[in-house]
Amino acid sequence: MTRTPGFDTSVAHQARMYDYLLGGKDNYAADRTAIDAQLQIYPDVAFAARANRAFLGRAVRYLTAEAGIRQFLDIGTGIPTAGNTHQVAQEIAPETRVVYVDYDPIVLSHARALLISHEAGATDYVDADLRDTPAILAQASELLDFSKPVAVTLIAVLHAIPESDDPHGKVARLMDAVTPGSHLAISHMGTGLLDSETQRGLEDHSGRAMQQRLTARSREEVARFFAGMDLVPPGVVRIEDWRPEPGADAGRSVLWGAVGRKP
């Protein structure tokens, strides 16, 4: 069953906060206040948002140009901004097909921006929660051919899923549905990347100020999402250290990132 968070602008929301950090306009006072409070706890939060977006771009370019992927299932899409998955992939391979998935009504209201595809390819939008795996797969199959490799991207979304909702099981079911040669790309708020006081401060702040309480996970817990897969070098690392490009911004994120291939 889809879990809709509702359109409550008085409470900060992860997608709108991320939009604010990236310089967008689809955010409200509660989102900006929450970010200002986060900056007091973790001054590099703006760098982390930019680094996360850059990681998505590098991962999609790798998957398209080097791994030969032509189908993407982008879950937890967020508010559209520059460098969306289909834009990056179709610049390399115009025939690429992308299905976006999100349950946020704000993202849904901007979904038209995600549907402007290159004429050789196609995009679609599914209004569903990551925890609604059967619904996602059923609707995505209207555009994607699951008999051919698919790249599943879960960028900065799994840390919004508590252990009680079995995030590892949800990812396993998604990857069970795709053929060998498919890939998984994840970025995830991590433990072991900040001192314990800062880590607790960020988690406590999300519980007080946001619609979603965030759950940071260790490098080993993030690696478990790739169980049975071959990790693409350099494995599970900070997002800014995953195949970095020359001249990248300097900073330290609080996100693990990795890409794996289903053998």
Side-chain angles (χ1 to χ4, degrees):
M1 180 178 182
T2 301
R3 306 179 187 198
T4 303
F7 195 93
D8 184 355
T9 61
S10 68
V11 180
H13 188 280
Q14 183 181 356
R16 300 194 304 257
M17 291 166 65
Y18 189 50
D19 174 75
Y20 174 53
L21 284 168
L22 292 175
K25 299 179 180 178
D26 296 296
N27 51 78
Y28 297 89
D31 309 304
R32 297 186 286 272
T33 298
I35 288 296
D36 290 342
Q38 277 193 358
L39 286 167
Q40 296 299 312
I41 303 167
Y42 171 49
D44 267 346
V45 66
F47 165 79
R50 294 192 303 272
N52 187 60
R53 196 68 185 176
F55 168 75
L56 170 65
R58 295 195 307 277
V60 171
R61 281 191 290 276
Y62 166 80
L63 291 164
T64 310
E66 298 187 44
I69 296 294
R70 297 295 181 266
Q71 302 186 108
F72 287 81
L73 181 56
D74 183 324
I75 303 175
T77 300
I79 296 169
T81 183
N84 297 301
T85 297
H86 75 283
Q87 294 168 326
V88 176
Q90 290 179 350
E91 185 174 341
I92 299 167
E95 70 274 22
T96 301
R97 296 184 165 216
V98 179
V99 172
Y100 293 102
V101 182
D102 210 300
Y103 73 155
D104 187 333
I106 294 179
V107 179
L108 177 61
S109 71
H110 290 275
R112 287 187 301 277
L114 299 172
L115 301 178
I116 303 173
S117 169
H118 190 286
E119 61 183 11
T123 62
D124 200 1
Y125 182 88
V126 173
D127 181 17
D129 189 313
L130 166 58
R131 289 162 282 209
D132 249 347
T133 309
I136 290 172
L137 293 171
Q139 293 181 63
S141 67
E142 295 178 11
L143 182 68
L144 305 181
D145 180 355
F146 281 97
S147 70
K148 298 178 181 178
V150 175
V152 178
T153 63
L154 294 161
I155 305 301
V157 61
L158 287 167
H159 48 233
I161 308 297
E163 287 301 309
S164 58
D165 283 334
D166 188 22
H168 288 92
K170 297 293 188 294
V171 173
R173 281 188 278 280
L174 285 168
M175 297 312 294
D176 284 345
V178 297
T179 190
S182 294
H183 286 68
L184 173 66
I186 289 174
S187 66
H188 194 298
M189 183 178 174
T191 60
L193 299 177
L194 296 173
D195 63 82
S196 57
E197 182 179 353
T198 303
Q199 187 76 56
R200 284 195 301 271
L202 286 174
E203 291 181 344
D204 290 346
H205 175 262
S206 72
R208 293 192 309 272
M210 298 171 58
Q211 290 185 23
Q212 313 99 323
R213 182 180 178 87
L214 305 183
T215 301
R217 295 186 171 93
S218 69
R219 185 176 184 272
E220 292 72 25
E221 288 173 314
V222 172
R224 276 182 53 210
F225 288 114
F226 297 90
M229 283 180 257
D230 300 322
L231 282 171
V232 174
V236 181
V237 294
R238 286 182 191 259
I239 51 174
E240 63 270 27
D241 295 330
W242 194 88
R243 296 177 171 241
E245 296 174 344
D249 288 349
R252 300 291 277 172
S253 77
V254 67
L255 294 160
W256 295 116
V259 175
R261 180 184 184 276
K262 180 176 178 177

